[in-house]
Amino acid sequence: MFGGADADELAPFRTTSLMWMSGISLLIVPMLTLIDVPVGRWLAINRPSKEIASVFELTGYFSHATGVFLILLCILLMAPRRRRYVPRLAVLAMGAGAVSTIAKMFVLRERPSRINLDIATYDKAWHWVFDWSLDQVATFDAGTRAFPSSNMAVAAAFAIGLAAVLPRGRWVFAMMLLGTMLQRMYSGAHFISDVFGGASFGLIWGYVCFHPKLLGSLFDRMESERRPKRPLFEEKLPRIDEATRVDEAKSDEDKGRFAA
C-alpha cells in the first residue's frame, strides 16, 4: 500500500505522484499571487450564509489537533484492522504542521485580515520579504504569518494518509480538504496562494512518510510487525474428532436395526 515489501506494482508511481503534485502546487504559487487581492476582496464582500459558514467551521477541525485526535481515536476504536497505521497518520499530521511552521519563519508575509483589501493592489501581495538571517525569530508569531498555511499542510498530508488507509472514504477526505481550504480563505487568514503553498508542503511531507527509502521504510516495518496473524472474527466450530464420528456412526446403525 505504501511502497514497502508488501506493496503492489502501482505503489512507486503513487509515491512519486505526491512529489509531482507538490511541485506543481508550489510552481503555481507565483501565478496565484496575481489574483490574491481580488479573490481576497471578493471573499470579504461575499460572505457565506450562516449554514455554509457552520459547515466551513466544522471542516476546519480536519486540520486542527482536536479533529486529528478524534479521527485517530475513531480508527483505534472502530477499525481494529487499521490500528497499525495510526503512528504513520499521526506523524503525517504533526510533521506537516511542523515543516510548514519552520518554513513560515523565513517568510514575512502578512495575513489578509491585517491588510486593507479595499485599497490594496496586487503589488501588495507580490511584496515578499524573506528573513534569511532570522533577525526576527525572537518575535516570531505564527498567527501573524500567512505563507504557507500550516492548516492546509496538515489537512493535505492527513487526507493523503487517510485515503490510503481507508480508500472507501477518499471522497469524504477530499471534501474535508476542500472545506479546509475555503475556511482558511473565508476567515481572512490566508490568500489563495498561501493555501496552495501549504498543500505543497503537506504533499512533500507525505512523500517523505510514504517513500520506502525515507521514513516509509520505518513505518512499513512497524506496520508489518503489527499485522494481525489471523482474522479478527473467526467462526468457531465444534471440533469433531475421529472417535466422535465412529460413535455417531454406531448410533445411526443401532437406530436402523431398531427400526427394522
Side-chain angles (χ1 to χ4, degrees), residues 3-260:
D6 299 326
D8 53 33
E9 296 179 355
L10 295 179
F13 171 76
R14 295 171 184 169
T15 305
T16 306
S17 65
L18 294 177
M19 181 61 71
W20 279 104
M21 291 188 293
S22 174
I24 293 173
S25 298
L26 195 60
L27 286 175
I28 65 176
V29 166
M31 293 182 289
L32 292 175
T33 309
L34 297 174
I35 62 173
D36 273 342
V37 172
V39 172
R41 185 184 298 120
W42 186 88
L43 293 175
I45 296 174
N46 299 273
R47 307 302 300 174
S49 62
K50 185 177 180 180
E51 292 76 13
I52 297 179
S54 299
V55 173
F56 287 160
E57 290 295 331
L58 181 62
T59 57
Y61 282 99
F62 187 70
S63 61
H64 290 177
T66 303
V68 172
F69 172 77
L70 291 177
I71 293 175
L72 295 180
L73 182 61
C74 290
I75 294 176
L76 285 173
L77 297 178
M78 295 184 289
R81 294 181 182 274
R82 298 293 184 265
R83 288 177 180 173
R84 62 182 184 271
Y85 300 122
V86 169
R88 189 193 296 256
L89 294 174
V91 172
L92 275 169
M94 294 185 295
V99 169
S100 59
T101 301
I102 294 174
K104 192 177 294 185
M105 296 174 63
F106 294 90
V107 184
L108 306 178
R109 196 185 192 200
E110 294 181 321
R111 293 179 181 266
S113 58
R114 301 170 63 90
I115 300 174
N116 189 352
L117 296 175
D118 294 333
I119 61 175
T121 62
Y122 75 92
D123 294 333
K124 181 65 177 178
W126 265 102
H127 186 64
W128 292 74
V129 180
F130 300 94
D131 185 18
W132 298 116
S133 59
L134 293 179
D135 293 334
Q136 302 187 34
V137 67
T139 59
F140 171 73
D141 182 8
T144 62
R145 306 287 180 89
F147 185 89
S149 172
S150 298
N151 293 80
M152 194 63 187
V154 172
F158 198 45
I160 292 295
L162 289 174
V165 175
L166 302 169
R168 291 185 178 181
R170 58 184 179 272
W171 292 110
V172 176
F173 307 138
M175 294 301 296
M176 297 295 287
L177 180 62
L178 178 61
T180 301
M181 180 182 70
L182 294 175
Q183 189 273 333
R184 301 311 294 165
M185 291 192 297
Y186 264 114
S187 64
H190 295 286
F191 290 110
I192 186 173
S193 60
D194 298 330
V195 295
F196 272 84
S200 177
F201 279 91
L203 292 171
I204 290 176
W205 182 248
Y207 176 82
V208 173
C209 292
F210 290 154
H211 198 278
K213 294 184 179 180
L214 300 174
L215 290 181
S217 60
L218 173 62
F219 290 118
D220 288 337
R221 290 195 297 270
M222 293 174 57
E223 292 158 2
S224 61
E225 293 175 357
R226 298 182 180 184
R227 184 173 291 110
K229 301 301 181 180
R230 61 180 181 179
L232 182 62
F233 297 102
E234 182 178 358
E235 185 179 1
K236 295 182 178 180
L237 298 177
R239 184 177 179 180
I240 302 177
D241 53 12
E242 191 65 25
T244 305
R245 293 178 180 176
V246 172
D247 292 341
E248 290 181 352
K250 291 182 178 179
S251 177
D252 293 339
E253 184 178 356
D254 294 339
K255 291 180 180 179
R257 291 177 179 176
F258 180 77

